[in-house]
Amino acid sequence: MVVLDNLQKGHRAAVADAEFVLGDIADQDLVNKTVTRYGIEAVVHLAADSLVGESMQQPGKYFRHNVGKGAAFLEALAEGGVKYFVFSSTAAVYGEPREIPITEEHPTRPTNVYGATKLMIEEMLRWYEHIYGLRWISLRYFNAAGADPSGLIGEDHHPETHLIPLVLQTALGKRPVLQIYGDDYPTPDGTCLRDYIHVTDLSTAHVLALEALAAGSPSAVYNLGNGNGFSVREVIRVAEQVVGRPIPVEVAARRAGDPAVLVASSARIKAELNWRPRYNDLETIIRTAWAWHRQHPDGFARIMNIDYSGARTINGQ
Ligand code: UDP
């Protein structure tokens, strides 16, 4: 396995002992050389800007990075002869749901730029299949959460904007208060409902997708969620039980682009790829996240001396 990352958001320590190439997905020369050197047939594309709120404030950045760089990446891969492509997509492609749970048949009308950019890549994939024969699976994640059960890999974003890490950082005293973005939504307690899926279950789905493509499965889109919606207040309540102390909160304004409810039907990936989530209760998800945050309050920064000697600069070699 080879990881290519520009480390603008990712962390070298999180790559562990996989082969690592430092660089940008839009550097077509680098991508081409990497594909050739390692004889790459299959790619999992995870690189993107992924913040709903930011995408509504800086749409150009999202179109340039997610769509522009994504297009350059796809072009280099297809021309390099890559056969299989697994794409990290999002529930945000659906927009405001017409029915819950959301199936893959649901209309795609994103209410934020982030979702729109992911949908554009899905559309490109259909053309790349048509023209180059690239086969692909797009995994539409609901809310990725939790941490690796080993406690060694977890979320470390700068700035952090996601609910569960923010709740736990507030529990650790690193933040004074957790803001609830709106409590006047048409939901039982007025706060948004989301479907939280553990990262380990998410990663298992990528492996299944790669295996399915290699075994001849057709291109497909699959939702990835647990099928249960938890409100912001429920997340806070379960987090308080896990950490054993109260977490200060205040109600703030709604965040632009946030649908009230996003809950997945993952029936299709269960039926077709035999995906079985193992960490599907909120308490387990938060417990694994808490183990990471408590043991690594500064994220990856102090975990290990970061050693870049394994990084390849393929250009010029
Ligand atoms: N949220 C919140 N306060 C925060 C961060 C998030 O109330 O400080 C809410 C947000 O409005 C959404 C839910 O928590 O309804 C999950 O947000 P997150 O950013 O974690 O994931 P997203 O749904 O954007 O993928």
Side-chain angles (χ1 to χ4, degrees):
M1 186 175 71
V2 185
V3 175
L4 185 148
D5 197 317
N6 62 11
L7 295 184
Q8 276 180 13
K9 300 218 184 75
H11 303 276
R12 179 66 184 87
V15 177
D17 53 4
E19 281 284 333
F20 180 67
V21 175
L22 180 63
D24 198 284
I25 58 165
D27 181 343
Q28 292 187 315
D29 187 42
L30 175 67
V31 171
N32 202 283
K33 286 180 171 146
T34 306
V35 166
T36 306
R37 168 174 296 207
Y38 294 99
I40 288 170
E41 292 194 318
V43 169
V44 178
H45 175 32
L46 303 158
D49 289 318
S50 61
L51 305 178
V52 166
E54 185 186 62
S55 80
M56 299 299 282
Q57 287 152 1
Q58 301 178 55
K61 175 178 169 185
Y62 278 68
F63 290 121
R64 270 187 294 112
H65 288 179
N66 294 2
V67 183
K69 289 186 179 212
F73 187 47
L74 258 179
E75 182 181 27
L77 297 178
E79 288 183 351
V82 167
K83 294 181 184 158
Y84 313 121
F85 190 85
V86 175
F87 179 52
S88 155
S89 186
T90 172
V93 298
Y94 295 113
E96 199 62 57
R98 286 193 189 166
E99 69 253 330
I100 296 291
I102 300 170
T103 69
E104 292 84 353
E105 308 299 330
H106 190 284
T108 45
R109 301 224 173 80
T111 52
N112 55 65
V113 171
Y114 167 61
T117 63
K118 291 285 182 172
L119 196 56
M120 288 177 192
I121 297 283
E122 289 189 0
E123 197 55 37
M124 283 181 209
L125 287 170
R126 292 187 178 90
W127 288 108
Y128 274 98
E129 174 160 28
H130 185 62
I131 296 163
Y132 289 87
L134 180 78
R135 262 185 306 117
W136 54 274
I137 287 180
S138 179
L139 299 174
R140 293 176 174 168
Y141 307 171
F142 282 62
N143 284 63
D148 188 78
S150 69
L152 296 174
I153 301 177
E155 288 187 80
D156 183 8
H157 303 124
H158 300 278
E160 186 54 78
T161 64
H162 293 107
L163 179 64
I164 292 176
L166 288 173
V167 166
L168 298 179
Q169 288 176 0
T170 309
L172 283 169
K174 292 177 70 83
R175 295 172 189 272
V177 64
L178 186 277
Q179 291 196 322
I180 296 173
Y181 297 150
D183 69 350
D184 56 352
Y185 284 95
T187 59
D189 68 14
T191 65
C192 290
L193 299 188
R194 291 289 180 274
D195 183 335
Y196 295 90
I197 167 168
H198 194 277
V199 281
T200 303
D201 291 327
L202 205 68
S203 66
T204 305
H206 291 71
V207 176
L208 292 174
L210 286 170
E211 288 172 354
L213 289 170
S217 292
S219 300
V221 296
Y222 293 116
N223 286 342
L224 276 179
N226 281 311
N228 300 315
F230 292 97
S231 74
V232 174
R233 284 201 189 275
E234 282 172 305
V235 168
I236 296 163
R237 196 160 53 242
V238 173
E240 286 179 331
Q241 285 161 14
V242 169
V243 307
R245 68 189 80 135
I247 296 168
V249 299
E250 69 185 20
V251 176
R254 289 183 178 196
R255 188 172 63 176
D258 262 345
V261 180
L262 285 176
V263 177
S265 162
S266 298
R268 185 187 279 181
I269 191 168
K270 286 179 179 162
E272 294 185 8
L273 302 191
N274 201 25
W275 178 69
R276 296 282 175 271
R278 288 172 56 210
Y279 302 92
N280 51 7
D281 67 294
L282 187 60
E283 194 195 322
T284 310
I285 290 172
I286 294 179
R287 208 168 340 98
T288 57
W290 178 233
W292 158 259
H293 284 284
R294 202 178 34 173
Q295 288 163 38
H296 308 287
D298 298 314
F300 285 101
R302 293 211 203 131
I303 287 187
M304 43 178 107
N305 292 328
I306 297 176
D307 173 10
Y308 286 96
S309 60
R312 299 287 165 93
T313 47
I314 285 194
N315 280 328
Q317 278 191 8

